[in-house]
Amino acid sequence: MSISPSTPTGQTQAWLESLRPKTLPLAVAAVITGSALASWTGHFKWPVALLALLTAAILQILSNLANDYGDVAKGSDTEKRIGPMRGMQKGLITATQMKNALTITVLLSCLSGIALITVACNSLNDVIGFLILGLLAIVAAITYTVGAKPYGYMGLGDISVLIFFGWLSVLGTYYLQAHSFSLSTALPATACGLLSVAVLNINNLRDIESDRKNGKNTLAVRLGGKKARYYHAALLTGAIICLVSFTLLYIQNWSGWLFLLALPLLINHISQVLRDPTPEGMRPKLEQMVKVALLTNVLFSIGLLLN
C-alpha cells in the first residue's frame, strides 16, 4: 500500500531524508580523532568528548536542514537532480516547517555548545573564544546555501569543510580537553578535513550537471568533471601523506600504522572515481567515501589509543 504525503509515516520518512543521518559520521570522526589525540597526550575527558560529539552532530544536522531549505528555495533541487529527493523537494515538508526545524536545531546547538563550554573551559578567554567559534559554526552551517550570497554557490564550500570539519573540530576537541595547543595535532586535523572535503567533492561531482544549470558554482563545477576527479585523488593522497608524516614524526609503535589498513579501499575508491566520468556513477561513491573516511579516522584513533 502506498503512503500518502499526509500520513505520519510519510512525514517521518521525509524528515529522516532531510536530517541525512548517514552524514553524521563526518562530524563524529573529527571529534573521535581530536579525543584520541587528547588521550594520546594523557588529557582525555569523557564528559567533554561526549558533549563535543553531541554538539558536532547537532551542527551537522543543522547544516543538512539548511542545505535542503536553501537549495529548494533557490531551485537547485529539481526532479532532474541525480541525488536522493528530500522532504521539501517532495513537497512533504513546507518552508514554514523547515524554518521552525532550523530554529529548534539552532537552539539545541546553542544549549549543547553552552554545556560543552561550561564543562570544558577554565578561563574567561576560553569561554569567549569558543562562544565566538560556536556562533561562527552556526552561521557557516546556515549560510552555505541560505541567504542572498550563499558561499556554497561560490565554490567556497571546500575550504569551509576543511576549516570546520578538520582544523576547528579536531583542534578544538583536543584543546577543550588538553587546554593547550600542540603542533603535532595539525597533521591529523588536516587529514580529517581533507577526507571530509573529499565527501563533499563526490557529492558535488554527482550533482555537477544540475548545479551548473542552476547557478550553483561549486568547486567541481568550476573545475569541470575531469579536473575535479584529479582534485579528488589529490585530497585523499594529501590526507594519507598527513597521517604518514604524523606517524613518522611522533609515533614509535607499530599501532600507529593501523590506518594503512584503509589504504587499499582508498586506492580502489580513487581508481573508480577516475575511471567513471558520469555524474550518475558518483551516487554509490558518496556513501562509499563516507565509510572509508570514517574507517580511516577510526583506525588512526585506535592506533593512538594502543600507542
Side-chain angles (χ1 to χ4, degrees), residues 121-132 175:
C121 292
N122 295 331
S123 69
L124 181 60
N125 286 338
D126 284 353
V127 170
I128 294 173
F130 277 93
L131 280 174
I132 293 173
Y175 182 87

Side-chain angles (χ1 to χ4, degrees), residues 186-188 190-192 194 237-247 259:
L187 286 168
T190 301
C192 188
L194 291 175
T237 303
I240 292 300
I241 289 174
C242 286
L243 294 181
V244 168
S245 300
F246 173 87
T247 305
F259 68 89

Side-chain angles (χ1 to χ4, degrees), residues 26-287:
L26 293 180
V28 170
V31 177
I32 289 174
T33 301
S35 296
L37 288 165
S39 178
W40 175 61
T41 57
H43 298 101
F44 179 74
K45 296 179 178 65
W46 271 111
V48 177
L50 291 175
L51 283 170
L53 277 172
L54 178 62
T55 304
I58 295 173
L59 286 171
Q60 177 67 61
I61 289 172
L62 174 64
S63 177
N64 293 341
L65 294 176
N67 286 351
D68 277 11
Y69 176 80
D71 282 339
V72 171
K74 289 178 170 55
S76 298
D77 280 356
T78 67
E79 65 280 358
K80 295 182 180 179
R81 178 174 168 269
I82 296 172
M85 293 182 68
R86 310 295 181 187
M88 281 193 70
Q89 189 182 358
K90 292 178 178 178
L92 300 180
I93 299 173
T94 67
T96 300
Q97 288 174 322
M98 186 59 78
K99 286 180 181 178
N100 291 337
L102 286 170
T103 301
I104 293 170
T105 310
V106 168
L107 291 174
L108 289 174
S109 63
C110 287
L111 290 173
S112 180
I114 290 171
L116 173 61
I117 290 170
T118 301
V119 169
C121 292
N122 295 331
S123 69
L124 181 60
N125 286 338
D126 284 353
V127 170
I128 294 173
F130 277 93
L131 280 174
I132 293 173
L133 289 176
L135 290 174
L136 286 175
I138 291 173
V139 171
I142 294 174
T143 56
Y144 178 71
T145 59
V146 176
K149 293 184 178 181
Y151 65 88
Y153 280 64
M154 296 184 288
L156 299 176
D158 296 58
I159 186 63
S160 175
V161 168
L162 176 60
I163 292 171
F164 286 99
F165 286 86
W167 297 333
L168 288 184
S169 293
V170 176
L171 300 180
T173 299
Y174 176 83
Y175 182 87
L176 286 171
Q177 296 176 69
H179 299 290
S180 64
F181 285 114
S182 173
L183 184 62
S184 63
T185 59
L187 286 168
T190 301
C192 188
L194 291 175
L195 289 168
S196 295
V197 175
V199 173
L200 175 64
N201 188 56
I202 286 292
N203 180 82
N204 291 340
L205 276 169
R206 181 197 66 190
D207 296 337
I208 190 169
E209 297 299 337
S210 59
D211 285 347
R212 182 183 290 115
K213 291 176 182 177
N214 291 285
K216 188 175 183 180
N217 295 314
T218 62
L219 189 55
V221 169
R222 292 180 180 275
L223 291 174
K226 185 175 182 179
K227 289 182 180 179
R229 283 167 172 77
Y230 290 133
Y231 166 65
H232 189 75
L235 289 172
L236 298 185
T237 303
I240 292 300
I241 289 174
C242 286
L243 294 181
V244 168
S245 300
F246 173 87
T247 305
L248 288 172
L249 289 170
Y250 302 107
I251 304 295
Q252 307 301 322
N253 195 297
W254 64 268
S255 65
W257 298 99
L258 273 178
F259 68 89
L260 289 179
L261 292 174
L263 188 57
L265 297 175
L266 285 165
I267 293 174
N268 182 57
H269 173 82
I270 291 172
S271 176
Q272 291 179 19
V273 170
L274 291 178
R275 287 201 312 264
D276 192 335
T278 66
E280 293 84 357
M282 297 303 102
R283 184 169 184 172
K285 305 297 187 299
L286 180 58
E287 184 175 349

